[in-house]
Short mmCIF file of all heavy atoms in Angstrom, two decimals:
data_model
loop_
_atom_site.label_atom_id
_atom_site.label_comp_id
_atom_site.label_asym_id
_atom_site.label_seq_id
_atom_site.Cartn_x
_atom_site.Cartn_y
_atom_site.Cartn_z
N GLU A 206 6.81 13.63 51.41
CA GLU A 206 7.68 14.41 50.53
C GLU A 206 8.84 13.53 50.08
O GLU A 206 9.16 12.52 50.72
CB GLU A 206 8.19 15.68 51.21
CG GLU A 206 9.11 15.46 52.38
CD GLU A 206 9.63 16.78 52.97
OE1 GLU A 206 9.05 17.84 52.68
OE2 GLU A 206 10.63 16.73 53.70
N ARG A 207 9.42 13.90 48.95
CA ARG A 207 10.54 13.17 48.39
C ARG A 207 11.72 14.11 48.21
O ARG A 207 11.53 15.31 47.97
CB ARG A 207 10.17 12.59 47.01
CG ARG A 207 8.97 11.64 47.05
CD ARG A 207 9.41 10.22 47.23
NE ARG A 207 8.28 9.31 47.33
CZ ARG A 207 8.27 8.07 46.85
NH1 ARG A 207 9.35 7.59 46.24
NH2 ARG A 207 7.22 7.29 47.00
N THR A 208 12.93 13.55 48.30
CA THR A 208 14.14 14.34 48.07
C THR A 208 14.73 13.94 46.73
O THR A 208 15.06 12.77 46.50
CB THR A 208 15.17 14.09 49.18
OG1 THR A 208 14.60 14.44 50.44
CG2 THR A 208 16.42 14.94 48.93
N ILE A 209 14.84 14.90 45.83
CA ILE A 209 15.39 14.64 44.52
C ILE A 209 16.89 14.35 44.65
O ILE A 209 17.62 15.07 45.33
CB ILE A 209 15.18 15.85 43.58
CG1 ILE A 209 13.69 16.14 43.42
CG2 ILE A 209 15.83 15.60 42.22
CD1 ILE A 209 13.39 17.39 42.62
N SER A 210 17.33 13.27 44.03
CA SER A 210 18.75 12.94 44.08
C SER A 210 19.41 13.02 42.71
O SER A 210 20.58 12.69 42.56
CB SER A 210 18.95 11.53 44.67
OG SER A 210 18.23 10.57 43.93
N SER A 211 18.65 13.47 41.70
CA SER A 211 19.20 13.61 40.35
C SER A 211 19.49 15.07 40.05
O SER A 211 18.87 15.98 40.62
CB SER A 211 18.19 13.07 39.32
OG SER A 211 16.96 13.77 39.42
N LYS A 212 20.44 15.29 39.18
CA LYS A 212 20.78 16.65 38.79
C LYS A 212 19.73 17.18 37.82
O LYS A 212 19.10 16.41 37.12
CB LYS A 212 22.17 16.67 38.14
CG LYS A 212 23.29 16.30 39.11
CD LYS A 212 24.64 16.33 38.41
CE LYS A 212 25.76 15.99 39.40
NZ LYS A 212 27.09 16.01 38.75
N PRO A 213 19.49 18.51 37.78
CA PRO A 213 20.25 19.57 38.45
C PRO A 213 19.66 20.01 39.79
O PRO A 213 20.11 20.98 40.37
CB PRO A 213 20.13 20.71 37.44
CG PRO A 213 18.76 20.54 36.86
CD PRO A 213 18.53 19.05 36.79
N ARG A 214 18.64 19.25 40.30
CA ARG A 214 17.91 19.71 41.49
C ARG A 214 18.20 18.84 42.70
O ARG A 214 17.39 18.79 43.63
CB ARG A 214 16.42 19.75 41.19
CG ARG A 214 16.04 20.73 40.07
CD ARG A 214 14.59 20.56 39.63
NE ARG A 214 13.68 20.76 40.74
CZ ARG A 214 12.39 20.40 40.70
NH1 ARG A 214 11.89 19.79 39.64
NH2 ARG A 214 11.61 20.62 41.75
N ALA A 215 19.32 18.14 42.71
CA ALA A 215 19.64 17.23 43.81
C ALA A 215 19.55 17.94 45.16
O ALA A 215 20.05 19.04 45.33
CB ALA A 215 21.03 16.65 43.62
N GLY A 216 18.84 17.28 46.10
CA GLY A 216 18.68 17.82 47.44
C GLY A 216 17.38 18.57 47.64
O GLY A 216 16.96 18.79 48.79
N GLU A 217 16.71 18.95 46.57
CA GLU A 217 15.44 19.68 46.68
C GLU A 217 14.32 18.73 47.09
O GLU A 217 14.24 17.60 46.61
CB GLU A 217 15.11 20.33 45.34
CG GLU A 217 13.85 21.19 45.36
CD GLU A 217 13.57 21.84 44.02
OE1 GLU A 217 14.55 22.03 43.24
OE2 GLU A 217 12.40 22.17 43.75
N LYS A 218 13.46 19.17 47.99
CA LYS A 218 12.34 18.35 48.45
C LYS A 218 11.07 18.72 47.69
O LYS A 218 10.81 19.90 47.43
CB LYS A 218 12.13 18.51 49.95
CG LYS A 218 13.32 18.00 50.78
CD LYS A 218 13.03 18.05 52.27
CE LYS A 218 14.22 17.56 53.09
NZ LYS A 218 14.55 16.15 52.80
#
Side-chain angles (χ1 to χ4, degrees):
E206 65 177 17
R207 301 268 178 145
T208 301
I209 300 175
S210 56
S211 58
K212 295 180 179 180
R214 298 170 58 194
E217 183 179 335
K218 295 186 181 298

